[in-house]
Amino acid sequence: ARICVLDTFVAVCSGLIIFPACFTFGVSPDSGPSLIFQTLPNVFTNIAGGRVWGALFFVFMTFASFTTVITVFENILSSCMDNFGWERKKSVIVNFFIILIASFPCLLGFNLLSGVQLLPGKGIMDTEDFLVSNILLPGGSLVFLLFCVTRWGWGFDNYIKEANDGQGAKLPRALKPYFQFVLPVLIIVILVQGLIPYVAKLL
């Protein structure tokens, strides 16, 4: 609960800072990854103490990125250890090189590979952002949700038993209809809304 509240609070505060700055300097707030790496630096150069605020912004963004990356990487490491029987050290070394090589297109997306478009009108980083934010995250959430609450997957009874294991706040069983019927519809709406603008551009 603390993590959810703090994460939402930081996101709202970031929006209260970034979006007014974008409107003040005539910058589109839906620029995607280029908003952070190309547009915001130009905004910082036009405000008082911009170098200091810009440096602090990217320092804090680096820390925020590391906390997210560590969580994501732990899933990859655990998967390799469980499925292949690797020790943690081997899993770390192998995945380090795989992820390092796979990251180069994204790292070069705004310089050497800036002219490469994997999807119409989208560079490498914009394409990755679109695929992850608009398809993989909502789609994966839908699959995970259906797996947890339907009889074709794990089942709600097994899910609620696992979720309520240990001490602390418990998940009420009364939420079962909400998980089974309301949440899937909400996720589908989010998924469709993320795809509509791109499909409209193609048409």
Side-chain angles (χ1 to χ4, degrees):
R2 293 190 186 114
I3 291 172
C4 292
V5 171
L6 288 175
D7 184 70
T8 304
F9 174 75
V10 171
V12 172
C13 287
S14 300
L16 293 175
I17 295 171
I18 293 175
F19 292 116
C22 290
F23 292 129
T24 300
F25 292 97
V27 174
S28 176
D30 60 348
S31 303
S34 60
L35 174 66
I36 295 177
F37 299 109
Q38 292 181 336
T39 305
L40 282 181
N42 293 327
V43 172
F44 287 128
T45 59
N46 290 288
I47 63 176
R51 290 182 180 272
V52 175
W53 295 116
L56 289 174
F57 173 82
F58 284 105
V59 167
F60 291 140
M61 190 183 72
T62 300
F63 285 119
S65 300
F66 273 130
T67 57
T68 302
V69 166
I70 289 173
T71 304
V72 174
F73 282 5
E74 181 60 30
N75 291 327
I76 299 174
L77 298 180
S78 298
S79 178
C80 289
M81 289 187 290
D82 292 341
N83 293 318
F84 305 127
W86 293 352
E87 296 181 352
R88 175 173 287 272
K89 184 177 181 180
K90 179 180 179 180
S91 183
V92 169
I93 293 174
V94 171
N95 283 288
F96 170 78
F97 286 105
I98 293 175
I99 293 172
L100 179 65
I101 295 171
S103 298
F104 273 108
C106 187
L107 292 171
L108 302 176
F110 284 137
N111 41 71
L112 295 178
L113 300 178
S114 59
V116 177
Q117 292 189 353
L118 301 180
L119 291 175
K122 292 184 179 291
I124 294 176
M125 190 173 289
D126 289 311
T127 300
E128 292 187 5
D129 177 64
F130 171 78
L131 293 176
V132 172
S133 301
N134 296 41
I135 298 177
L136 294 181
L137 286 178
S141 299
L142 182 62
V143 171
F144 181 72
L145 173 65
L146 296 177
F147 175 78
C148 288
V149 300
T150 63
R151 58 186 178 87
W152 296 285
W154 199 14
F156 185 81
D157 291 336
N158 291 325
Y159 164 72
I160 198 81
K161 180 180 178 182
E162 180 69 20
N164 289 336
D165 187 32
Q167 300 179 350
K170 304 297 182 181
L171 194 66
R173 185 174 291 274
L175 289 176
K176 182 177 181 179
Y178 177 75
F179 282 8
Q180 286 185 320
F181 304 110
V182 179
L183 270 185
V185 174
L186 293 177
I187 296 176
I188 291 173
V189 170
I190 294 173
L191 180 61
V192 172
Q193 283 184 333
L195 294 177
I196 286 178
Y198 180 70
V199 174
K201 289 181 180 179
L202 293 179
L203 298 176

